[in-house]
Amino acid sequence: DSGLTLGAGIEEVSSNSGNAPEVENVTGYALYTMGPVSVGYQGYYLNYGASPKAGAATSLADYSGDSVGIAFNVNDQVSIGYQKISETQEALTSTKASDRDIKSISAAYSSGGMTMSIQQTDTDNYTMLTAGNELDTETVQVTLSFAF
């Protein structure tokens, strides 16, 4: 399969609760595949409303972000990929805007009903509270499936 795929979505959430914010989530993506290589981009914006409804404890910050990824299918069993995500928590009253960057590399091997995968992810400012806090994770996963 080769070619370009585009998509977009919007979600609006209203609550009957007197103090819940109205939420709007907008996203769009582009994915281009040519042979064993796929490259994708996605952007999003999450709007929690201009201010909280009466009786709400606090306002919630809006978020925006984008991501890019590339995947390469070495053969029918082996694939590798790289992903980068950048997110911004918008400024809210007395807090400054905050950024989070996530970079991840992954590899997978599949044979029959078994998949082994490994992923290494580095996250800068993972809590979006204080610049400099980092979270680095490595994940190894083995998945087995059986047909009965």
Side-chain angles (χ1 to χ4, degrees):
D1 293 328
S2 294
L4 178 66
T5 304
L6 301 173
I10 187 168
E11 171 188 48
E12 293 180 356
V13 179
S14 297
S15 175
N16 292 333
S17 174
N19 61 358
E22 293 189 6
V23 178
E24 180 180 66
N25 191 7
V26 180
T27 187
Y29 73 90
L31 175 65
Y32 182 73
T33 301
M34 180 158 48
V37 178
S38 295
V39 178
Y41 172 84
Q42 180 174 5
Y44 79 91
Y45 182 73
L46 177 61
N47 181 348
Y48 277 107
S51 61
K53 291 184 177 181
T58 184
S59 296
L60 298 172
D62 295 341
Y63 291 83
S64 61
D66 62 357
S67 61
V68 64
I70 184 166
F72 176 64
N73 294 321
V74 177
N75 54 39
D76 287 341
Q77 290 83 29
V78 178
S79 63
I80 56 175
Y82 175 79
Q83 304 80 36
K84 182 178 185 305
I85 301 169
S86 298
E87 296 180 303
T88 299
Q89 179 182 14
E90 305 299 331
L92 179 66
T93 58
S94 63
T95 62
K96 298 187 310 183
S98 181
D99 296 319
R100 171 172 40 210
D101 291 313
I102 304 168
K103 297 174 188 137
S104 183
I105 189 164
S106 58
Y109 170 77
S110 295
S111 179
M114 179 196 67
T115 300
M116 294 185 303
S117 60
I118 186 168
Q119 181 175 7
Q120 198 273 325
T121 303
D122 296 327
T123 305
D124 293 331
N125 192 15
Y126 74 98
T127 63
M128 293 188 121
L129 297 176
T130 307
N133 57 36
E134 297 180 0
L135 178 66
D136 300 331
T137 61
E138 291 79 28
T139 305
V140 177
Q141 184 174 354
V142 176
T143 306
L144 302 172
S145 63
F146 300 96
F148 294 99

